[in-house]
Amino acid sequence: MLYLYPLCYRIEKNKFDSTLRNFYLIVSGVFSSACIISMYHFLTFTKYNIRGVRQGVQDGHLFGVFSSVYFAGVICVVLLFTSIYMFVKNKSNFIKVWSAVTAVLMILYIVLCNSRSVMLSLIAGTMICVFLSFRNYLSKKEKVKSSFFKNSLCVVVAVVMALVVGTAN
């Protein structure tokens, strides 16, 4: 990440947007295909080992074609948030439909992989997104000038959301 930030900071906005869109389409295409195959494994209750690596559905976790539930789940969380971002920011109907389908597939895999750490990363990512969105919303309002007030209000919203999500489980 430390290498990507300076690179992305120096690129023009138009070039950065097209690069991000192309990178998103490639990565989400690969992961969506892998998630579809994993869903097939879930529906057929397939399980097997390849050189000691678990595949399919084993021990209550959907490994699918991934060697690690945690790695696949965290990448799916990142792709879920990226899909939501691409859905909101792009005007192309193809990107909107692709982002919606990708988001549904990622949510399905996240739920079916049955991993607590992936659920925690989903909750943490959601809290960060809510915090940043709420802070951006408040910064557009001219009535609220104090950054301490804005940030503390965002923290309160994030904590309330965490409590709501935490008590739902």
Side-chain angles (χ1 to χ4, degrees):
M1 196 57 113
L2 293 175
Y3 293 116
L4 290 178
Y5 180 74
L7 175 71
C8 295
Y9 186 73
R10 295 173 196 265
I11 296 177
E12 297 174 10
K13 179 153 176 45
N14 293 337
K15 191 172 183 180
F16 175 74
D17 289 343
S18 67
T19 304
L20 179 67
R21 184 182 63 243
N22 293 338
F23 184 72
Y24 165 73
L25 289 173
I26 292 169
V27 172
S28 65
V30 170
F31 260 82
S32 294
S33 302
C35 285
I36 289 171
I37 295 169
S38 298
M39 301 303 161
Y40 174 77
H41 285 203
F42 179 77
L43 293 174
T44 59
F45 298 107
T46 305
K47 70 176 191 177
Y48 54 93
N49 291 331
I50 299 175
R51 296 185 187 129
V53 177
R54 298 184 288 183
Q55 302 285 289
V57 181
Q58 293 191 16
D59 299 330
H61 298 284
L62 174 61
F63 285 86
V65 296
F66 302 108
S67 61
S68 170
V69 173
Y70 313 112
F71 168 76
V74 170
I75 296 296
C76 286
V77 168
V78 171
L79 276 174
L80 174 64
F81 289 123
T82 309
S83 296
I84 293 169
Y85 173 80
M86 296 299 275
F87 184 84
V88 170
K89 293 293 181 180
N90 279 300
K91 296 178 182 172
S92 168
N93 287 335
F94 171 74
I95 298 291
K96 285 189 179 285
V97 170
W98 180 259
S99 297
V101 169
T102 301
V104 168
L105 287 172
M106 297 305 129
I107 290 170
L108 282 173
Y109 186 83
I110 289 168
V111 169
L112 293 176
C113 77
N114 197 22
S115 169
R116 289 185 305 258
S117 57
V118 173
M119 291 296 180
L120 287 175
S121 66
L122 180 63
I123 291 169
T126 304
M127 287 180 3
I128 290 169
C129 286
V130 166
F131 174 78
L132 292 175
S133 298
F134 199 65
R135 192 182 72 174
N136 288 340
Y137 171 74
L138 287 178
S139 68
K140 292 179 183 176
K141 298 273 187 185
E142 293 185 1
K143 295 177 183 175
V144 181
K145 295 286 184 185
S146 170
S147 64
F148 175 75
F149 176 73
K150 288 189 289 188
N151 290 335
S152 58
L153 188 60
C154 292
V155 168
V156 168
V157 168
V159 168
V160 168
M161 193 188 107
L163 290 173
V164 168
V165 171
T167 57
N169 292 331

